[in-house]
Amino acid sequence: MTTEATHTDQRAGGTTHAGLQAWVDEVAAMTTPDHIEWVTGSDAEWTRLTEKLVEAGTFVRLNEEKKPNSFYAASDPTDVARVEDRTYICSVDEKDSGPTNNWMDPNEMKDLMRGLYAGCMKGRTMYVIPFVMGHVEAENPMFGVEITDSEYVVVSMRVMARTGVNVLRRIEELGENAKYVPALHSVGAPLEPGQQDVKWPCNPEKYIVQFPEERMIWSYGSGYGGNALLGKKCYSLRIASVMARDEGWLAEHMLILKLISPEQQVYYIAAAFPSACGKTNLAMLAPTIPGWKVETLGDDIAWMRFGEDGRLYAVNPEFGFFGVAPGTNEHTNPNAMKTINKGNSVFTNVALTDDTDIWWEGLENTPAHATSWKGQDWTPDSEELSSHANSRYCTPIEQCDILADEYYDPKGVPISAIFFGGRRKTTVPLVTESRDWIHGTFMGATLSSETTAAATGAVGVVRRDPMAMLPFIGYNAGDYFQHWINLGKDADASKLPKIFYVNWFRRDEEGAFLWPGFGENSRVLKWAIERLEGKAAAVETPIGHVPTPESLDTSGLDMSDADIAAALKVDPEEWKAEIPQIEEWFAKFGDTLPTQLQVELDGLKARLGVE
Ligand code: GDP
Ligand code: PGA
Ligand code: MN
């Protein structure tokens, strides 16, 4: 079926790939857009769409000298973060979505959403965005096609993923052999003839739905990054984790960095922290210890497969950074600042200064006056924050000065160490080394963190966030733990990455961070590497190996010995209080909890002297 729109729009395009064309026609017939455009990824297209967004009031063009080719957007105040309570894994069997995901029967969900999608693009243009997560030259390129009625999404997708005509041509060359994830997105705000659009169209009713068996995504009602840029969390984590389970690899919520020692030894590290817990910052770390260097490979997602040499290789499937703005500055993350200052970026829900630059809490040069993300006058005396806590910059990864050359290698980089971590005010020491892969898997499976503004809901509540994947595991989390254990069992143990657990966020009695964090985290990376090399000392504690105060390089660090000891402390009483929480967490999984994890918990209890 072909809609009239395809004939009338000059930029209609289309594809020789019959299956893809049929799906696009089917969606157009259901959603009834006024126009259809196939996204090419050209500069002219970017210019045309950003101009359209400026005209619509969605974008404000920023000061060309300060942020060339960059734009400011403020969302609807109700559409600022991922909506975990509206996110579903619609597997055929409910048990395959597990105890941590929302579930609905896939047919029931499709019926419900077809009702919402019917006519939902009226008065708008439907964009078809061919994209690939990872490299188009990969052995099995991970294609996707996102259909969206949001120009904001088209522009942001171009930054975050490899999109456009080159990808489409490759899909067409591969013909029916090209596997792609169909990803449908609508803001859910049809326009009647003559109806004036709002700056940020969205719908109070939201659904972010993954159909794992069909490798398909349907998203409705939100324009926010994690809900709408479907290559990111929906594909590269939720759908990809299911593919990874079936094919024997890992799709993880991890940054990837390259660490170079003063002796020019190179190590690759992956780290999983929940959203807004420090991935982007660690990925671009500027080490404070002399002679050590960091280069970036990725800040959010790692796809990891075993290579022929038995090592675990990681690839970053993304093409941009979608970073938390507040707290980012020349001191905490100079590399991010340099990246965004080159321009070609989109800033959402930060403050707009009077000279049309952007500002957020924690950035240098506090303006005397600005317009807040809510569109209100803001001064340093204002009670409300200028920027939403989950405001974001969206910027091309290739603009990052410290991007490692290996970013371009489809094979990826061999990982030496995996870090898990979260935000905990108490209990969890600065760094702990696991005894082995299974113990590391236990650390990951019991990872805990205080909730952040990256998802809607209460902030600061401690919850279990296994491998920082709680909102992103596309199947039963018990089976996911088993998958981790199985991969370790089948591998050569001497080649497996060593697993560590970190906490940059422990507080003192006054509530201040004990550890200065950011660039100083290089000291923890150094300790971990020296542990791999058998060079650094550690004390054995009930929870694993932690540094002796002497083994952690604290030279030049402005911290008292007492504070260093407090940051490293393992307090058995605090840990005893964790046990019931871990037991409650594990109880959710019933017989899908791998026995090995129960054995680990029993061992921890025995070491703590808990009954
Ligand atoms: P991501 O969402 O996991 O990528 O997290 P980000 O790296 O964007 O950081 C989220 C927030 O945590 C930002 O406000 C950062 O400034 C802050 N943050 C990141 N690393 C550290 C750290 O080492 N110490 C402290 N105290 N805050 C940090
Ligand atoms: P992040 O993810 O906070 O892990 O960077 C972005 C999101 O929540 O959509
Ligand atoms: Mn991030």
Side-chain angles (χ1 to χ4, degrees):
M1 189 186 347
T2 309
T3 56
E4 208 177 310
T6 37
H7 298 295
T8 53
D9 192 272
Q10 289 185 342
R11 285 180 292 267
T15 177
T16 58
H17 189 288
L20 176 55
Q21 185 65 52
W23 176 61
V24 170
D25 290 344
E26 188 193 317
V27 170
M30 172 168 72
T31 59
T32 66
D34 282 9
H35 307 279
I36 299 174
E37 278 191 33
W38 288 71
V39 170
T40 63
S42 71
D43 290 346
E45 179 183 70
W46 164 278
T47 303
R48 182 167 50 80
L49 291 180
T50 53
E51 276 168 6
K52 189 170 175 182
L53 283 158
V54 169
E55 211 169 294
T58 311
F59 271 5
V60 174
R61 178 178 282 279
L62 294 175
N63 186 318
E64 201 60 32
E65 266 157 42
K66 295 187 169 159
K67 301 281 183 307
N69 192 27
S70 296
F71 301 89
Y72 164 89
S75 80
D76 185 286
T78 62
D79 195 23
V80 293
R82 284 182 294 102
V83 282
E84 294 182 2
D85 56 332
R86 309 300 307 157
T87 300
Y88 289 77
I89 301 296
C90 291
S91 46
V92 173
D93 279 334
E94 183 172 5
K95 70 168 181 7
D96 288 328
S97 77
T100 60
N101 287 308
N102 299 311
W103 179 84
M104 196 189 286
D105 175 80
N107 289 321
E108 221 172 286
M109 180 60 89
K110 283 181 197 166
D111 282 349
L112 185 159
M113 289 188 77
R114 280 196 193 102
L116 299 171
Y117 282 136
C120 74
M121 295 189 186
K122 200 156 90 180
R124 297 191 184 278
T125 299
M126 177 176 119
Y127 298 90
V128 184
I129 317 170
F131 67 93
V132 64
M133 299 312 296
H135 299 79
V136 77
E137 310 84 24
E139 208 173 311
N140 294 302
M142 301 285 272
F143 295 117
V145 179
E146 177 160 353
I147 291 180
T148 180
D149 54 7
S150 159
E151 287 83 15
Y152 173 89
V153 166
V154 178
V155 166
S156 304
M157 273 296 282
R158 177 188 146 119
V159 176
M160 294 307 299
R162 295 167 176 91
T163 63
V165 74
N166 295 341
V167 178
L168 182 61
R169 292 298 163 258
R170 189 74 193 119
I171 292 177
E172 289 169 346
E173 277 164 26
L174 293 170
E176 296 310 310
N177 294 327
K179 289 201 185 110
Y180 62 90
V181 169
L184 172 55
H185 170 255
S186 172
V187 292
L191 290 169
E192 295 305 325
Q195 186 184 339
Q196 177 65 38
D197 201 0
V198 294
K199 286 184 185 177
W200 186 275
C202 63
N203 194 298
E205 192 169 4
K206 298 181 190 357
Y207 283 94
I208 317 298
V209 180
Q210 284 68 210
F211 300 96
E213 286 91 353
E214 287 176 78
R215 317 285 202 236
M216 182 169 84
I217 303 158
W218 282 10
S219 166
Y220 180 87
S222 171
Y224 170 74
N227 300 328
L229 311 179
L230 302 184
K232 194 173 180 50
K233 306 290 191 182
C234 300
Y235 181 162
S236 294
L237 292 177
R238 296 196 191 100
I239 296 291
S241 65
V242 178
M243 296 172 166
R245 173 199 64 190
D246 295 348
E247 299 165 7
W249 51 282
L250 290 166
E252 297 298 327
H253 192 201
M254 291 181 183
L255 67 96
I256 311 166
L257 68 80
K258 175 180 177 182
L259 182 66
I260 307 161
S261 75
E263 295 78 35
Q264 302 306 307
Q265 286 284 333
V266 169
Y267 306 88
Y268 301 100
I269 296 175
F273 312 146
S275 292
C277 292
K279 289 182 299 302
T280 301
N281 277 272
L282 190 66
M284 288 185 240
L285 176 93
T288 51
I289 41 175
W292 291 77
K293 234 182 98 185
V294 162
E295 292 179 4
T296 304
L297 284 128
D299 80 320
D300 198 42
I301 296 169
W303 285 349
M304 302 195 286
R305 297 166 199 266
F306 285 98
E308 274 161 23
D309 61 359
R311 299 192 66 188
L312 192 58
Y313 283 75
V315 165
N316 169 20
E318 297 195 281
F319 201 46
F321 300 127
F322 184 64
V324 175
T328 308
N329 63 41
E330 296 293 347
H331 166 74
T332 58
N333 198 340
N335 291 310
M337 292 307 300
K338 277 191 218 141
T339 309
I340 62 179
N341 283 332
K342 288 185 192 169
N344 312 307
S345 303
V346 178
F347 300 87
T348 306
N349 289 339
V350 300
L352 185 65
T353 63
D354 295 349
D355 58 350
T356 53
D357 196 1
I358 37 90
W359 191 80
W360 50 70
E361 276 66 30
L363 195 58
E364 290 86 358
N365 305 324
T366 309
H369 176 267
T371 306
S372 79
W373 74 281
K374 288 184 176 167
Q376 289 158 356
D377 281 321
W378 183 90
T379 70
D381 297 329
S382 295
E383 301 216 328
E384 284 198 42
L385 297 177
S386 75
S387 306
H388 188 274
N390 191 40
S391 53
R392 298 275 174 161
Y393 57 82
C394 176
T395 195
I397 196 168
E398 291 184 304
Q399 291 182 187
C400 181
D401 286 340
I402 60 161
L403 186 66
D405 289 341
E406 297 88 321
Y407 172 76
Y408 295 99
D409 185 351
K411 194 163 87 23
V413 293
I415 298 296
S416 295
I418 291 175
F419 284 35
F420 290 121
R423 248 175 217 273
R424 288 295 302 268
K425 291 190 177 71
T426 65
T427 317
V428 179
L430 181 63
V431 54
T432 314
E433 179 196 9
S434 66
R435 287 186 303 279
D436 53 30
W437 181 265
I438 292 184
H439 181 225
T441 302
F442 174 79
M443 284 178 166
T446 56
L447 191 160
S448 59
S449 195
E450 291 142 21
T451 50
T452 69
T456 54
V459 168
V461 181
V462 174
R463 70 172 184 183
R464 300 290 137 183
D465 190 339
M467 284 81 173
M469 283 283 283
L470 180 69
F472 309 120
I473 303 169
Y475 59 103
N476 189 316
D479 297 342
Y480 169 78
F481 299 153
Q482 190 65 57
H483 183 57
W484 264 81
I485 289 171
N486 292 349
L487 287 184
K489 208 163 53 196
D490 297 341
D492 175 345
S494 70
K495 292 179 177 167
L496 280 170
K498 262 260 172 198
I499 300 177
F500 297 82
Y501 193 115
V502 298
N503 177 22
W504 316 139
F505 299 94
R506 205 172 191 176
R507 312 273 187 135
D508 65 16
E509 263 111 57
E510 274 82 57
F513 290 117
L514 275 164
W515 180 252
F518 303 104
E520 306 294 4
N521 294 336
S522 55
R523 299 170 190 276
V524 174
L525 300 184
K526 178 182 173 187
W527 182 80
I529 293 307
E530 289 180 347
R531 288 295 293 169
L532 301 182
E533 301 286 4
K535 288 192 209 153
V539 267
E540 180 149 14
T541 78
I543 61 164
H545 293 94
V546 303
T548 59
E550 304 74 41
S551 67
L552 188 69
D553 182 348
T554 53
S555 53
L557 187 65
D558 183 20
M559 236 178 122
S560 71
D561 289 350
D563 277 353
I564 292 168
L568 293 173
K569 187 173 180 189
V570 177
D571 179 343
E573 292 311 312
E574 282 183 313
W575 277 94
K576 281 180 192 166
E578 288 288 293
I579 298 295
Q581 296 172 37
I582 296 174
E583 285 178 327
E584 192 188 328
W585 167 238
F586 276 2
K588 279 180 189 280
F589 297 97
D591 59 11
T592 65
L593 184 79
T595 7
Q596 293 93 327
L597 295 187
Q598 189 58 51
V599 170
E600 285 295 330
L601 176 57
D602 292 343
L604 175 60
K605 284 165 71 176
R607 290 190 297 276
L608 288 167
V610 178
E611 283 305 291

